[in-house]
Amino acid sequence: MAKVIGVRFKNAGKLYYFDPGQLWPTAGDAVIVETARGVEYGEVITGVREVDDDKIIAPLKTVMRIATAQDKLHAAENEEKQDSAFLLCQKKIEEHGLEMKLVGVQYTFDNAKILFYFTANGRIDFRALVKDLASTFKSRIELRQIGVRDEAKLLGGLGPCGRPICCGSFLGDFQPVSIKMAKEQNISLNPTKISGVCGRLMCCLKFEQDQYESIRKSMPKIGKDVITPDGRGTVTSLDILKELVLVRVSRGDSYEYKQYPAADVQRLTPPQPQKQEVIKEPVRQPAPPAEAAPEKPAQQVEKPREEPKASGKRPFFVPIKYDENGEPIIETDDDTAEIIDESISSVVDDDVIDIISSVDELELYQGDDDTI
């Protein structure tokens, strides 16, 4: 929390906070303060009070002094100079052929700077104009381009209601206004009726918007069925300010329109199906599996090697050559010859040897690939 005072530099300008320091100015006093534009002469709107730190733009500048009678006289002289500076600047604009409209002129309190406010449709190259004005006034020149709403605020005027426009009399900042506000307030969307002096939507549409929204929430919507003291009906229109509801009530084969206070009209809420409570059983989480003991590798038992058994059939065919006497001829060494001779004698039956003893049958036997 910080102690501040609220100072305004124009009739309906923005409120700025300053540190009062050792002084204690009250509302209505004139003070001399230092701003970003230079030394300014302003009026105290709110006296010394405490404000939250988040609403203050740090660092706060301290009030230089409370304005004296001489300071007030100097401020009045600056206002008189503004009229002559306005005419001179307007003449310079015509000489340079610039498409811009001069709106206002403002002197700083110490005459160190002169501000010129203008409007234009686009960007303006006014560098030559600034040099010409600086050589004429022997002071620092600053030109600022503003919008149509700021122009109406500086010039002032009367609104469609017949009173001075809000922005020129008491509004400090401009609030955003949308066409939706005019629709919710049942105002005609004719541009001539909802536009202000500046050509934009009137600022006063924002003033009652919050009240319209709060009342509309407590009233039934258009097209909904309601219950009235005369029976069931349908809402056709709403009067937000008077809080009245126009309802179409059925009378046999015809309808009748009646207006009721919003408090006497009850909304029809369709019965909502009751939700059956489902009792959810607690899900049992499975127990973590026990760690299995590592399996021992199976011991491989070497089986004894079995000797091949002799069978009555020959497992494979080995071509054998015979000599003239019918004896087998095998081209091997002596040891192998004895083994083959023994295997042949164990595999081949005696009857088979008798069958293949003849040469003719031996040729047939050797040409056949089937085993015996």
Side-chain angles (χ1 to χ4, degrees), residues 223-235:
K224 298 293 184 180
D225 293 339
V226 294
I227 297 177
T228 65
D230 298 329
R232 183 169 177 173
T234 305
V235 179

Side-chain angles (χ1 to χ4, degrees), residues 155-345:
L155 298 177
L158 298 177
C161 59
R163 297 177 59 85
I165 55 177
C166 303
C167 58
S169 56
F170 63 88
L171 278 183
D173 296 326
F174 290 108
Q175 299 293 331
V177 184
S178 64
I179 194 68
K180 181 182 177 182
M181 298 179 182
K183 293 180 180 179
E184 292 183 352
Q185 298 176 24
N186 295 327
I187 300 177
S188 174
L189 300 182
N190 188 350
T192 59
K193 293 185 178 181
I194 60 177
S195 300
V197 177
C198 60
R200 302 291 189 268
L201 292 174
M202 294 186 295
C203 300
C204 56
L205 293 175
K206 178 67 176 176
F207 300 160
E208 300 177 356
Q209 181 62 22
D210 296 338
Q211 184 69 13
Y212 271 88
E213 291 178 355
S214 61
I215 295 176
R216 187 179 291 275
K217 290 180 181 179
S218 62
M219 300 177 69
K221 295 182 178 180
I222 297 177
K224 298 293 184 180
D225 293 339
V226 294
I227 297 177
T228 65
D230 298 329
R232 183 169 177 173
T234 305
V235 179
T236 57
S237 65
L238 302 174
D239 191 342
I240 304 297
L241 295 180
K242 296 181 180 180
E243 298 187 20
L244 296 177
V245 182
L246 184 63
V247 183
R248 184 182 64 185
V249 183
S250 60
R251 296 293 186 185
D253 297 338
S254 62
Y255 295 97
E256 182 180 0
Y257 290 89
K258 283 190 174 183
Q259 208 169 28
Y260 301 94
D264 297 341
V265 177
Q266 298 180 2
R267 302 181 186 180
L268 283 178
T269 56
Q272 299 180 356
Q274 296 181 356
K275 297 181 180 180
Q276 297 181 356
E277 296 182 358
V278 180
I279 301 175
K280 296 182 179 181
E281 297 182 357
V283 180
R284 297 180 180 179
Q285 297 182 356
E291 296 182 357
E295 297 182 357
K296 296 182 179 180
Q299 296 181 358
Q300 296 181 359
V301 181
E302 295 182 359
K303 296 181 178 180
R305 185 175 182 180
E306 297 180 355
E307 297 292 337
K309 296 181 180 180
S311 59
K313 294 184 179 182
R314 186 175 180 180
F316 57 89
F317 175 75
V318 179
I320 302 173
K321 296 180 181 181
Y322 293 86
D323 55 5
E324 297 177 354
N325 299 325
E327 297 293 333
I329 302 173
I330 299 175
E331 297 178 353
T332 55
D333 52 3
D334 297 337
D335 297 334
T336 308
E338 294 179 359
I339 296 172
I340 293 175
D341 190 13
E342 293 178 358
S343 61
I344 291 175
S345 61

Side-chain angles (χ1 to χ4, degrees), residues 74-115:
H74 183 65
E77 292 176 356
N78 288 341
E79 291 181 0
E80 294 177 1
K81 292 179 182 179
Q82 292 175 5
D83 296 335
S84 60
F86 183 89
L87 295 175
L88 182 58
C89 182
Q90 199 168 21
K91 183 179 179 180
K92 295 291 184 182
I93 291 173
E94 294 176 358
E95 292 178 358
H96 288 273
L98 300 177
E99 296 181 358
M100 53 190 294
K101 178 184 177 182
L102 187 63
V103 177
V105 182
Q106 183 181 0
Y107 273 82
T108 59
F109 182 76
D110 56 358
N111 295 340
K113 184 189 298 184
I114 305 175
L115 288 86

